[in-house]
Amino acid sequence: MLEIKNLNASINDKKILKGLNISIKPGELHAIMGPNGSGKSTLANVLSGKEGYKISGELKYQGESLDEISIDERAQKGIFLAFQYPTEIPGVNTSNFLRTSLNKVRKAQGKKELDALSFLKIMKEKSNELGMDEKMLSRQLNVGFSGGEKKKNEILQMKILDPNLVILDETDSGLDIDALKIVADGVNSSRNKEKSFLVITHYQRLLNFIKPDFVHVLADGKIVKSGTKELAMELEKTGYKGIN
Amino acid sequence: MKNQNTNYNQEYKYGFTTDIENIKAPKGLSEKTIKFISEIKKEPKWMLDWRLKAFNRLKVSKEPDWQKPKFPKIDYQALYYYSAPKSMKDKPKSLDEVDPKLIETYNKLGIPLNEQKKLSGVAVDAVFDSVSVATTFKDELTKKGIIFCPISEAIQKHPDLVKKYLGSVIPISDHYFATLNSAVFTDGSFVYIPPNTRCPMELSTYFRINASETGQFERTLIIADKGSYVSYLEGCTAPMRDENQLHAANVELIALDDAEIKYSTVQNWYPGDKNGVGGIYNFVTKRGACRGKNSKISWTQVETGSAITWKYPSCILQGDNSIGEFYSIAITNNHQKADTGTKMIHLGKNTKSKIISKGISAGKADNTYRGLVDIGRNASNSRNYTQCDSLLMGNKCGAHTVPYIKNKNSSSTVEHEATTSKINEDQLFYCNQRGLNQEEAVSLIVNGFCKEVLQQLPMEFAVEAQKLVGISLEGSVG
């Protein structure tokens, strides 16, 4: 699904990722943990194609190089980023935005675009699954949403867009335990043999609810240790300083 | 016509010209020209006298020069003040007699004049250069006593109404361009809604400048009698030409007791090319008088075209409890310039006004909101609320807010809020990550920014306006 080899990324001449390697197969869930400033969010941004980074190394998605592929095309090909800080877009209705987004993705995949009614049905179904209040969807996109609502909205979008590769960028930060469970349930119910996940997190807490196949520790722009979920437990005890 | 195909998918899809034979007035501005216009329109003497009075006034008046966008001196003697398709000389009596080329032009613009193919529930008056070519749904409106016709026809058939109201909101001495219009106006729409009548459909005028070296000077007069209601919409386009063309219209609205007028504009005159060559000078005077108690006038404008837009649709709130509203979107891209806003003159008691202005500036464009709120000594318990938001795209454009506030009554309140922001990289990234390309993302964000104003447009045009907002900003980011 995703093949990252010797990835280097810098912004304004500052090196952030320094030779990062990860390989994710279909159906796998990988967690990346690391201290502040280790390059976690940069990795999420680079994978989604955000501009402004100087990049070298190999980045392959479904066997294809992502070098020349723009952010929106990556999204259409099934790469989804759940944002750490979902932005507010005033005046734009949440469900209209979602429908526009879904139809862009469907169109790119050669599927028929959905009319308002059939979309509404899907949206209701998915938001019920997540135990979300439908009223939220008629509000302006993320405007006045609580931190928890914003993250739930990200998970709802993930459910509706049905991507192949999901990147969760510190989706757990700032969530209370109830919201955290909803987010985790959303992820767990989406897991299957085809879908891959890259869960970026600061704390081990999330991994009590989402069981990773692999855990990597990111420090100073590269993976310094990889293992299974026991590694996360170990980190909890020793802290990042205990690694190396 | 060689541009036709290449233009289709580009920024200005209305840039084509119609090859049609014209009758023109003698070139230049003179008494002779004015007499020619008056004569060809078979006007009564009082109308000609009125025009000449304006012309005499014009001789001693000067163009205003306080506006932000400066422009090269206009040679008024190099313009044609009247241009009409030859086939209109003996006015067609029904749509069947209208030159098929004209019908085709309007079809291309998406304005079907054929009543069978009409826009649902919208009556259209189409003005081509200096004359009205067709008005749809006349019969249906006549049954309710509503008059909707070209103003040249109203001058002949309804002289009492025209005499009473023409120039009563914008006097002929008002300012240079208004005076010029009074002297040489050619056509435009006239609307009268009788007492206690709700106009059953949207009324719409579609203006098209076609001929070169021609100015368009239309005049619109709308009277809503006691207890009546009307919603009116104007649209405009012009071919792409390298010269700057002058459009100096006057629009007067009069609302009597308990009457309401809603006036919407979607202005899409040719804006000039990417380097700022050509485009329309849109110097328009629009003013409404809430003359009766409890009356209401609401202006909504979506200004996306023109090289320079210079206009302040205003409300004079004379009647007690009257309400004035101004909702505006002004988009400037490339080298376009806009200096627009409103004037709310509170004279009556308990009068209210609301101003919502959204300015969007991209490329090397410059966008100014200029507005006056004037609360008179006797306008007790009056209120104004003003909100001006500017959005900048890129770092070569400008946005300016120039509010003038005069409150002479201590029981009245004026509120003014203004914001300026740049289009947000995070918002673009978010939309891109959800599969929208750069242009779709810009269109979505800007439409969201403009939502309060777009909501004011009649349904039939809101969708059109939303698309226009997107198209006007194509290529402005990234």
Side-chain angles (χ1 to χ4, degrees), chain B residues 179-210:
Chain B
T179 305
L180 175 66
N181 175 286
S182 299
V184 300
F185 77 87
T186 44
D187 224 329
S189 295
F190 176 84
V191 176
Y192 172 76
I193 314 289
N196 305 315
T197 305
R198 194 180 167 88
C199 186
M201 56 182 78
E202 302 281 339
L203 301 183
S204 169
T205 302
Y206 197 87
F207 296 101
R208 172 87 180 158
I209 298 178
N210 186 62

Side-chain angles (χ1 to χ4, degrees), chain B residues 317-324 345-353 375 379-384 412:
Chain B
L317 304 169
Q318 289 168 276
D320 290 348
N321 314 316
S322 61
I323 299 172
I345 316 286
H346 293 252
L347 300 173
K349 293 182 177 60
N350 308 315
T351 47
K352 289 192 187 71
S353 65
I375 297 190
S380 47
N381 296 313
S382 293
R383 300 182 75 101
N384 161 266
S412 296

Side-chain angles (χ1 to χ4, degrees), chain B residues 91-104:
Chain B
K91 248 188 140 329
K93 281 165 197 65
S94 77
L95 276 171
D96 303 337
E97 292 175 31
V98 174
D99 190 330
K101 258 192 192 161
L102 282 172
I103 301 266
E104 198 191 308

Side-chain angles (χ1 to χ4, degrees), chain B residues 1-5 7-8 12-20 99-114 117 126 128 206-208 210 237-239 268 464:
Chain B
M1 301 292 274
K2 65 176 162 50
N3 285 330
Q4 214 166 50
N5 291 329
N7 285 338
Y8 185 72
Y12 196 74
K13 67 172 180 173
Y14 308 105
F16 62 88
T17 44
T18 306
D19 223 347
I20 204 157
D99 190 330
K101 258 192 192 161
L102 282 172
I103 301 266
E104 198 191 308
T105 302
Y106 281 92
N107 282 342
K108 235 192 256 182
L109 297 169
I111 316 290
L113 296 178
N114 186 329
K117 288 189 233 146
F128 193 85
Y206 197 87
F207 296 101
R208 172 87 180 158
N210 186 62
T237 57
N268 187 22
E464 197 68 15

